[in-house]
Amino acid sequence: MEPFINIRALIIDMDGVLWHGDQAIPGLTDFFQTLRAQNFRFILATNNASLTPPQYVNKLAKMGVTVTENEILTSGMATALYLSQHEDPATTRVFVLGEAGASEPLRQCGFTLTGLYQLNSAKTPGEGADIVVCGKDQTLSWDKLATASLNIRAGAKFIGTNADTTLPTEYGITHGNGAILAALQAATGVSPTIIGKPEPIIYQQAMALLGTDPAETVAIGDRLETDILGAVRTGIRSLMVLTGVSTQADLEASDYGPTWVMADIRAVTEALKTLAA
């Protein structure tokens, strides 16, 4: 195993690494105290696009951890930044199937957001969108899926904030945004462009925010096919914890893997402490 050295910054996943739903994983506060004490730079980079940075700040505060909005990067934020670099926000209309974490960054970038089609109206259903963005949505409905499908079938670009098919919660593993994307793809025959992990985009954006070199940056995650594969594609080292979706058996069956594997963030904390020893 590669020596645990030359680490200046961390890109840290949240679901399955820091918590399960609203339940903190043991060792959370000590982990962040160690990061602060040893001056590690970090970005909390999540594929979950349902929450906004202030909501994540509040969620961590309830768990006894203080972070700033500048230390958070969601796939919703990454999607808005990516689209603002490739489209003109002033003239581009976007339908968002998702929650505030997906819609607010787009609104802040200047995009016009369209509403649901009035499918039961005798009139035309409504003005269409140029782009459909799909993120995790706990208020998913038939009308939302129908509006997204109709826009995509009419030629709108299809963007997925992330493609995680599952989501670890305090109740167990449930469906993720990838399941919603699969429904829309089945309904339209169109494959989405994915912004979140395992695509390198969000990791590259995180390193730009950190101002660090790939050689001194490490990604921490729990999911082999997103967090770890994304790090491999980006060319950075990675550390997988076994408190989320992927297991040791998954690792043994995979033709790629993380640089290091640890049981949980308590083990990561102890490893980080050795860097200052």
Side-chain angles (χ1 to χ4, degrees), residues 2-21:
E2 183 175 325
F4 197 68
I5 58 174
N6 189 32
I7 301 170
R8 181 183 169 207
L10 302 170
I11 303 174
I12 307 165
D13 185 46
M14 291 193 267
D15 292 296
V17 176
L18 305 181
W19 58 61
H20 294 142

Side-chain angles (χ1 to χ4, degrees), residues 164-177:
D164 301 51
T165 55
T166 57
L167 177 71
T169 74
E170 62 267 52
Y171 308 108
I173 295 177
T174 183
H175 61 286
N177 189 49

Side-chain angles (χ1 to χ4, degrees), residues 6-11 203 206-207 210-219 235-238 260:
N6 189 32
I7 301 170
R8 181 183 169 207
L10 302 170
I11 303 174
Y203 278 139
M207 282 190 288
L210 289 166
T212 55
D213 187 89
E216 56 190 8
T217 305
V218 171
I236 61 176
R237 294 172 295 168
S238 62
W260 306 281

